[in-house]
Amino acid sequence: MLLSFVILYWLISIAIGLYAALRVKTTKDYAVASRALPFHIVTATVFATWFGSEVVLGIPATFLNEGLSGVVADPFGSSLCLILVGLFFAKPLYRLNLLTIGDYYRLRFGRTVELLTTVCIVVSYLGWVAAQIKALGLVFYVLSDGGVSQEMGMWIGSASVLIYTLFGGMWSVAITDFIQMIVIVIGLLYIGWDVGNAAGGVGTVITHASEAGKFKFFPGFQLDAIVMFVGTLVTMMFGSIPQQDVFQRVQSSKNEFTAVWASVLGGSLYFMFAFIPMFLAYCAILIAPELVARYIDTDSQLILPKLVLEKAPLFAQIMFFGALLSAIKSCASATLLAPSVTFSENLLRPILLKFKPHLSDKDFLRWMQAVVLVFTVVVTMIAVNSKLSIYSLVENAYKVTLVAAVVPLALGVYWKRASTQGAIISMVLGLFTWITLEVLAGGENPPAWTAVWLPHFVGFLVSLCSFVTFSLLPQYLRTPPIPVPGAIGHDHHHAVHAAAHTHHARNNP
């Protein structure tokens, strides 16, 4: 009965996505939904995109083992990321009227920076998308009681999400996200009420968790603890900002107000609802301690779904797995589309234009869809072969953009002296520092300080310092900065005007 309801919901959501695909006629439709999405749809797609498998399965498992101190990166860092995007980046980026975040780097710093950041952004999505595919395999395995292996479940899940993402792009993603957000919210509230009552009520659960020390969040007043805390927090809080999925939701909004406040509201809702799965997982300690003991040291991600299957009534099971599948599907579809659009627009399109200067928009749309197909196959293979947990896959995904992309974006928008050479050198040194320290930390006898001074955090600091230094150095020495063909220069208002002109010319030949 449960499996039948899940399959029915799955088929309905695919049908809705395919229906929304009828709106897609151009690459602008496919990438940013014609910049026509209203406030409630953008809020829903911001929330649903980030409310993925790590929130329902990964974060609760980590919370059971480590308490709040173990989930600093997500949901605390990730929700702050969305709020920061809304408050500080949505308005200036929306005015650029572009398809991808890579376009911004080209306009501000030139083609070289565009290439470097695009590669980093696309690579960063591999872990995030793989986590969603891995979660789909886990759900199919649990629902079929082992009848469908996790590997086969991954392939089935990725293929079904691909169907409407491939044809509908951002239109399909946005409309299905809206439906899935409703299912997530209602499903989690209902299952939270049902399981919470079985555990003795919200007060009983919170008191038990508090006495067990699970609410310890801030570090002590030791330098090592503070550095570790800050390094973990900024991984997703800053590393997630220069991401195409965030940029797409900003650009898909119908006006600036929607771009700004839908991001803030979506991030706030994400933060609030992320605590419900943690609450549910801790209820398992009171309701089924033997279940927790069985999986806590082997695969703690199974505790919550197993609890629902073994202890909750059928309707509660339907609501939970409906919410879980909605969370995974909304995140998976968005993270399949975002890197594919970025790769197509910023890496593939310039190559195609060399061989076919008069490439039509319709032909390029087909190339973009082909990239979505290839990317889906690649990330599914990564998910099948990865041994990392869902939470680890997501947390590790943002390290590369933290050390390479966030500093050029932030200082490019808000610092007039930001230069192309500063951007290039900061990216190279940030990546080199991070990779070098990761190698040292993973060796047989890693230096003790690498356990505290996280390699990606050090890489971020090096990126920041080198950007400022090498942007100011030519001005201090009274030498002109290195000219880079195609770069806009230092005035962001000039960049906005030029971007709008370029976009108008491209869409009105």
Side-chain angles (χ1 to χ4, degrees):
M1 183 70 72
L2 172 61
L3 189 58
S4 299
F5 274 108
V6 168
I7 292 174
L8 177 62
Y9 168 68
W10 193 270
L11 293 175
I12 291 173
S13 62
I14 291 175
I16 293 172
L18 290 175
Y19 177 76
L22 297 175
R23 293 173 175 263
V24 175
K25 307 297 181 184
T26 66
T27 54
K28 184 179 179 181
D29 297 333
Y30 194 77
V32 292
S34 305
R35 288 168 64 91
L37 298 182
F39 185 87
H40 63 285
I41 297 291
V42 178
T43 300
T45 192
V46 168
F47 170 86
T49 295
W50 282 62
F51 207 96
S53 61
E54 74 282 358
V55 184
V56 184
L57 299 176
I59 292 176
T62 304
F63 175 74
L64 287 181
N65 285 300
E66 305 175 37
L68 282 184
S69 62
V71 295
V72 172
D74 194 8
F76 290 92
S78 52
S79 56
L80 284 171
C81 163
L82 294 173
I83 294 171
L84 290 174
V85 167
L87 294 177
F88 298 104
F89 295 96
K91 185 176 290 186
L93 292 180
Y94 184 81
R95 291 176 179 177
L96 292 176
N97 198 10
L98 303 171
L99 287 184
T100 72
I101 189 70
D103 291 342
Y104 170 80
Y105 290 101
R106 181 184 69 251
L107 288 166
R108 186 65 173 87
F109 299 114
R111 176 64 176 162
T112 301
V113 176
E114 175 194 16
L115 288 174
L116 288 172
T117 50
T118 298
V119 171
C120 291
I121 290 169
V122 171
V123 169
S124 73
Y125 275 97
L126 296 177
W128 193 8
V129 188
Q132 311 315 312
I133 303 301
K134 200 176 185 73
L136 286 172
L138 181 65
V139 172
F140 280 111
Y141 173 78
V142 172
L143 286 176
S144 65
D145 197 22
V148 176
S149 68
Q150 292 196 39
E151 291 77 11
M152 181 58 66
M154 293 180 203
W155 286 107
I156 295 173
S158 62
S160 58
V161 173
L162 172 66
I163 293 173
Y164 64 84
T165 307
L166 179 66
F167 295 104
M170 190 61 193
W171 270 116
S172 291
V173 169
I175 300 303
T176 54
D177 277 359
F178 178 69
I179 303 298
Q180 288 160 356
M181 177 184 173
I182 295 173
V183 175
I184 291 170
V185 169
I186 296 176
L188 286 181
L189 287 176
Y190 178 83
I191 193 69
W193 171 79
D194 186 88
V195 173
N197 285 339
V202 175
T204 300
V205 177
I206 292 177
T207 299
H208 194 281
S210 178
E211 291 174 351
K214 295 298 182 181
F215 293 152
K216 184 180 183 300
F217 179 69
F218 291 104
F221 290 100
Q222 295 85 27
L223 178 62
D224 289 356
I226 294 173
V227 170
M228 174 67 77
F229 178 85
V230 174
T232 303
L233 181 65
V234 302
T235 301
M236 294 186 71
M237 183 172 68
F238 291 161
S240 307
I241 290 176
Q243 291 288 359
Q244 175 63 17
D245 62 281
V246 179
F247 183 83
Q248 275 182 301
R249 275 130 196 85
V250 169
Q251 293 297 321
S252 298
S253 304
K254 68 176 184 179
N255 52 47
E256 285 185 15
F257 177 87
T258 298
V260 172
W261 295 108
S263 298
V264 173
L265 179 58
S268 301
L269 290 173
Y270 171 83
F271 180 76
M272 290 187 290
F273 277 88
F275 284 92
I276 297 180
M278 285 188 269
F279 170 79
L280 292 172
Y282 199 83
C283 286
I285 294 178
L286 301 178
I287 298 174
E290 73 288 347
L291 177 70
V292 176
R294 190 190 320 159
Y295 291 108
I296 192 68
D297 295 323
T298 54
D299 193 351
S300 54
Q301 295 169 154
L302 285 172
I303 291 175
L304 184 50
K306 287 289 187 180
L307 171 70
V308 174
L309 282 175
E310 295 181 12
K311 302 297 181 179
L314 177 61
F315 185 72
Q317 294 177 16
I318 293 172
M319 296 300 290
F320 172 77
F321 283 99
L324 175 58
L325 285 174
S326 295
I328 299 172
K329 286 180 63 186
S330 59
C331 190
S333 59
T335 50
L336 285 175
L337 179 66
S340 301
V341 169
T342 301
F343 180 89
S344 302
E345 175 70 13
N346 301 109
L347 296 180
L348 181 60
R349 184 184 180 89
I351 297 174
L352 293 175
L353 288 175
K354 289 183 179 180
F355 296 96
K356 194 175 180 180
H358 302 291
L359 179 70
S360 69
D361 187 75
K362 185 176 181 179
D363 288 340
F364 184 60
L365 176 60
R366 299 292 173 260
W367 277 101
M368 195 175 282
Q369 291 171 323
V371 172
V372 173
L373 174 61
V374 173
F375 191 80
T376 303
V377 174
V378 171
V379 295
T380 304
M381 293 177 65
I382 292 174
V384 169
N385 292 285
S386 175
K387 302 302 181 184
L388 293 175
S389 69
I390 293 170
Y391 188 86
S392 296
L393 282 169
V394 172
E395 185 179 11
N396 290 331
Y398 301 105
K399 292 179 180 179
V400 61
T401 46
L402 176 68
V403 303
V406 67
V407 171
L409 174 64
L411 296 187
V413 171
Y414 284 105
W415 192 38
K416 290 185 177 181
R417 293 188 178 186
S419 71
T420 298
Q421 60 194 15
I424 294 174
I425 295 173
S426 75
M427 294 174 68
V428 172
L429 291 181
L431 286 167
F432 176 79
T433 302
W434 169 54
I435 294 172
T436 301
L437 294 182
E438 285 283 4
V439 173
L440 288 175
E444 293 184 2
N445 297 301
W449 58 267
T450 57
V452 176
W453 286 89
L454 303 174
H456 55 277
F457 182 48
V458 178
F460 164 71
L461 295 177
V462 169
S463 174
L464 177 61
C465 294
S466 57
F467 190 103
V468 174
T469 300
F470 288 96
S471 289
L472 290 177
L473 189 59
Q475 302 168 42
Y476 176 76
L477 297 176
R478 297 184 179 180
T479 59
I482 301 172
V484 176
I488 278 295
H490 304 304
D491 191 342
H492 197 261
H493 296 290
H494 181 205
V496 172
H497 175 76
H501 176 75
T502 302
H503 183 82
H504 178 78
R506 175 179 171 181
N507 289 280
N508 299 275

